[in-house]
Amino acid sequence: MQNWKVTPAEVFAASPLVPVMVISDLEQALPMAKALLEGGISVFEITLRTPVALDAIALIAKAMPDAMVGAGTVLNCAQYDAAVAAGARFVISPGMTPALLAHAAKGTAPLIPGVATASEMMQALEAGYDHIKFFPAEANGGTKALAAITAPLTQMRVCPTGGIGPNNVADYLALKCVATVGGSWMLPADALKHGNWAEVTRLSREAVELVRR
């Protein structure tokens, strides 16, 4: 499946929120994506943590061509290729390896590598990556740590993910380095279990309104 290419900056600019979607049941893929879209979110990170993840990417990318569908939890080159083949327009990893960085640099979808330290940010920069994921954000010191780490690395654009919700998302978005934030609070387990898509839409709308204040 071929998609038009986007840049890392375009991925980050597309939405102040990137929902982290763990799809275990393929039948939930489209209803989940549509509920998020109705709430004002059109960028989707579908994690490769389940057997149906690639099928979900392909399904949503085909049914919702105006949305920006990406793959998360990509750990190696083979997964990068599989995600792109399924229709992912961007790829996110919880970490980074030299092999994955080099492979994605020649690929058709931008990679957002995961980092947790200043040294890892410097390694990403050396490989040509200035749009990164700070993960896990809260466990690594939250906004104070991220502000301190990026102070001498002002060229970095960051998507913090991990432990972020309604109570602290505004604090992250207030940082100069932060362009967008990843989270899953608009996808509570109970709502997914019972197919309560109206609740997902409501929480998505609230999240969008919160970050636009």
Side-chain angles (χ1 to χ4, degrees), residues 101-142:
L101 293 175
H103 185 75
K106 299 179 288 186
T108 58
L111 171 70
I112 312 299
V115 303
T117 67
S119 294
E120 290 173 349
M121 288 191 189
M122 292 168 62
Q123 290 169 25
L125 281 173
E126 283 188 352
Y129 293 83
D130 58 6
H131 287 67
I132 53 90
K133 170 182 177 176
F134 182 60
F135 177 80
E138 284 292 284
N140 279 315

Side-chain angles (χ1 to χ4, degrees), residues 3 32 45 72 123 137 143 149 151 156 172 174 184 186-187 201:
N3 287 302
M32 189 187 303
E45 177 191 343
Q123 290 169 25
T143 55
I149 292 170
M156 301 303 290
Y172 279 95
S184 59
M186 67 291 295
L187 294 165
T201 294

Side-chain angles (χ1 to χ4, degrees), residues 141-175:
T143 55
K144 290 183 178 180
L146 181 56
I149 292 170
T150 57
L153 298 166
T154 56
Q155 63 271 63
M156 301 303 290
R157 302 296 288 161
V158 184
C159 173
T161 306
I164 300 176
N167 295 329
N168 60 4
V169 63
D171 296 333
Y172 279 95
L173 288 169
L175 299 180

Side-chain angles (χ1 to χ4, degrees), residues 7 48 66 73 80 89 165:
T7 66
L48 301 191
D66 292 332
T73 320
Y80 173 94
R89 296 179 63 198

